[in-house]
């Protein structure tokens, strides 16, 4: 299991997406720099660019979950 996770991590850090048949696709997405607002103080803050992990469920898995 550890080698599987290491392989996933390596591929995602290299900017590649990882497809697992009948399960889904994992990919790293870049988020742009943006201005966010603190709802309490109304102070504007600059949120730096970052990467996030996105998962898209396969149609096969989605169909099985919705049966």
């Amino acid at each position: 299991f550890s080698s599987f996770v290491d392989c996933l991590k390596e591929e995602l850090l290299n900017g590649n997406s990882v497809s697992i048949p009948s399960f889904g696709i994992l990919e790293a997405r870049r988020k742009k720099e943006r201005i966010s607002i603190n709802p309490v103080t109304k102070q504007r803050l600059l949120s730096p660019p970052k990467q996030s992990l996105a998962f898209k469920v396969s149609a096969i898995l989605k169909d099985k979950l919705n049966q």
Side-chain angles (χ1 to χ4, degrees), residues 34-54:
R34 65 185 184 91
I35 296 174
S36 54
I37 301 173
N38 182 327
V40 176
T41 64
K42 308 298 185 207
Q43 180 183 9
R44 292 177 176 251
L45 304 168
L46 186 61
S47 297
K50 61 181 179 179
Q51 286 194 346
S52 65
L53 187 61

Side-chain angles (χ1 to χ4, degrees), residues 12-66:
L12 292 170
L13 288 173
N14 288 333
N16 301 322
S17 62
V18 178
S19 177
I20 303 170
S22 302
F23 186 69
I25 300 172
L26 285 164
E27 65 181 352
R29 292 186 181 166
R30 296 182 189 268
K31 301 270 184 165
K32 294 181 181 179
E33 178 179 80
R34 65 185 184 91
I35 296 174
S36 54
I37 301 173
N38 182 327
V40 176
T41 64
K42 308 298 185 207
Q43 180 183 9
R44 292 177 176 251
L45 304 168
L46 186 61
S47 297
K50 61 181 179 179
Q51 286 194 346
S52 65
L53 187 61
F55 177 71
K56 183 177 179 185
V57 180
S58 74
I60 295 169
L61 181 58
K62 190 183 292 186
D63 289 342
K64 289 189 185 250
L65 290 172
N66 290 322

